[in-house]
Structure formats: C-alpha cells, structure tokens
Amino acid sequence: RPSMVSAILTNMDAGGLLCLSGIRPAEVDSLKEAYNPHLDWLDDHYNELSASETEGSLESYGFDVGRWARVVGRVRPKGKMDIATMSELAVS
C-alpha cells in the first residue's frame, strides 16, 4: 500500500536500513516495486524460510503456513519524501 510506504519512509534517514519480513515470496517483486524509488535493495540479505525448517513453528502443530521471505533495503540519499509526495501516495 502506498500510504504504508510513505509512513515508513518519511520516518527514516538516508542510509537507514529497512528490513521487511513475513512476506510471501510471490509478493516480493510487487513490494520491491513500491519501494524502488526510495531504496537500494541489498539482495545478499534476501532469505526465504519455511515454517517446517523452524522448530516449534505453527506448522509443527499441523498448520500449513508455507514459505516466507525477508528483504532488506537501504534508503537512498535524499530518500526522505517531501510532504507533497507523501500526500499523493496517501490518496492513491
């Protein structure tokens, strides 16, 4: 959601790191697209994990919770959004 992007990024300084986890792998590309104008992705920090690989997870109790991804990005210089951009994203 664009409003979530603006809410997060307006509270970050240039050079700050943003880690987003609990994302379905199939949704990673669209999530990255939403943040692309403001972040440089650190692809070497990308990771996927299945609940079956985690001791004590819900899956160990018989729930199918599938695979999840983590992405990390660094806010670009001048990455803070101005009020006009934030306002536009909030209503889009």
Side-chain angles (χ1 to χ4, degrees):
R1 295 179 50 140
S3 59
M4 184 178 292
V5 173
S6 65
I8 291 171
L9 292 175
T10 55
N11 289 291
M12 296 186 70
D13 290 324
L17 293 172
L18 176 64
C19 177
L20 301 169
S21 62
I23 304 154
R24 294 287 189 185
E27 297 171 345
V28 167
D29 288 340
S30 62
L31 180 131
K32 283 183 165 185
E33 186 177 317
Y35 284 87
N36 272 343
H38 312 286
L39 295 177
D40 291 318
W41 295 105
L42 306 176
D43 291 330
D44 56 328
H45 292 308
Y46 178 84
N47 195 18
E48 288 185 20
L49 182 68
S50 172
S52 64
E53 301 169 49
T54 306
E55 187 177 329
S57 71
L58 285 175
E59 192 166 74
S60 66
Y61 295 101
F63 294 98
D64 177 16
V65 294
R67 292 191 67 77
W68 297 93
R70 174 192 71 210
V71 294
V72 178
R74 184 176 306 276
V75 179
R76 292 185 180 139
K78 299 183 182 178
K80 283 190 130 181
M81 280 189 267
D82 60 48
I83 192 71
T85 302
M86 184 173 73
S87 179
E88 180 62 32
L89 288 171
V91 295
S92 62

